[in-house]
């Protein structure tokens, strides 16, 4: 009977001490992953500058070409996850001329933009109103109006800054005939309120 009592006490001691030992077993801490960074939002006002190359063919077939450079201002609305719509106005002074003495003084547009955003990269199409002034071979200045269409790619390389490349085709009526202008531009924009 004494042996049964001793064995029972030993068994009871083991059972009661087991939870204490289990409490000493280290528990693996849960692994927490950082929340994904929010996608870049293109909404807001921006202002920037551009430089590039322009080439035009006048009604008599003479080519006018040279450097262009100017400024742009606009506003974008970022809809849903990937769609961006906006409006942009730009104006550029030009060094576009030819050996006959024709010269393009400036070239400007007011356009709508629609694009597809992949986080910090925006691919867009654009189109709208174009205006310009040229000096013809006789030295007379002519103002013209027409339309412009184009496409571009913009990359937000910093929180407030983006860079873009853009091609534009302009068809401008100066009275005696239309002038078709192609431009290739590189630009940088600064976004406000970000």
């Amino acid at each position: 009977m004494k042996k049964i009592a001793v064995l029972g006490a030993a068994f009871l001691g083991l059972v009661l001490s087991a939870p204490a030992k289990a409490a000493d077993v280290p528990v693996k801490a849960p692994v927490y992953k950082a929340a994904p960074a929010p996608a870049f939002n293109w909404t807001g006002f921006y202002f920037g500058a551009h430089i590039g190359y322009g080439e035009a063919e006048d009604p008599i077939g003479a080519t006018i070409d040279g450097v262009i450079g100017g400024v742009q201002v606009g506003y974008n609305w970022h809809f849903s996850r990937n769609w961006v719509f906006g409006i942009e106005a730009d104006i550029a002074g030009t060094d576009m001329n030819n050996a006959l003495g024709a010269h393009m003084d400036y070239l400007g547009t007011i356009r709508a933009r629609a694009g597809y955003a992949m986080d910090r990269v925006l691919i867009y199409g654009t189109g709208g109103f174009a205006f310009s002034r040229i000096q013809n071979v006789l030295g007379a200045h002519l103002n013209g109006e027409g339309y412009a269409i184009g496409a571009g790619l913009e990359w937000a390389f910093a929180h407030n800054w983006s860079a873009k490349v853009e091609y534009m085709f302009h068809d401008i009526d100066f009275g005696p005939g239309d002038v078709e202008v192609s431009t290739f531009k590189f630009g940088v924009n600064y976004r406000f309120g970000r």
Side-chain angles (χ1 to χ4, degrees):
M1 182 78 165
K2 237 181 186 187
K3 285 184 181 183
I4 293 176
V6 170
L7 285 173
F11 179 74
L12 187 60
L14 283 173
V15 169
L16 293 176
S17 67
K21 288 186 179 180
D24 296 337
V25 175
V27 176
K28 203 175 216 184
V31 177
Y32 294 102
K33 293 183 181 179
F40 187 79
N41 189 326
W42 290 88
T43 296
F45 284 102
Y46 61 89
F47 176 81
H50 62 268
I51 190 165
Y53 170 79
E55 183 177 283
E57 188 172 304
D58 68 17
I60 61 170
T63 299
I64 303 170
D65 64 347
V67 175
I68 63 170
V71 294
Q72 66 269 354
V73 62
Y75 188 87
N76 286 326
W77 293 271
H78 195 147
F79 288 94
S80 70
R81 182 178 175 88
N82 300 101
W83 295 103
V84 177
F85 299 95
I87 187 164
E88 182 174 285
D90 65 2
I91 190 159
T94 89
D95 188 31
M96 295 170 59
N97 54 55
N98 66 14
L100 301 175
H103 177 78
M104 180 169 283
D105 297 327
Y106 61 81
L107 179 63
T109 65
I110 301 170
R111 299 170 281 109
R113 295 195 333 160
Y116 186 82
M118 294 167 285
D119 194 24
R120 292 180 169 267
V121 175
L122 176 65
I123 299 169
Y124 63 90
T126 184
F129 175 72
F131 57 95
S132 182
R133 185 174 77 179
I134 60 170
Q135 177 182 318
N136 66 17
V137 293
L138 302 174
H141 288 278
L142 303 172
N143 293 316
E145 298 175 351
Y147 69 89
I149 57 171
L153 179 116
E154 192 165 355
W155 170 52
F157 62 88
H159 190 62
N160 293 85
W161 292 94
S162 63
K164 71 175 184 174
V165 290
E166 184 177 79
Y167 167 77
M168 294 284 298
F169 172 80
H170 312 73
D171 189 315
I172 302 173
D173 182 8
F174 287 97
D178 286 8
V179 173
E180 296 180 347
V181 186
S182 290
T183 59
F184 302 89
K185 298 184 281 190
F186 169 77
V188 176
N189 289 323
Y190 179 82
R191 301 182 182 285
F192 295 95
R194 297 192 56 80

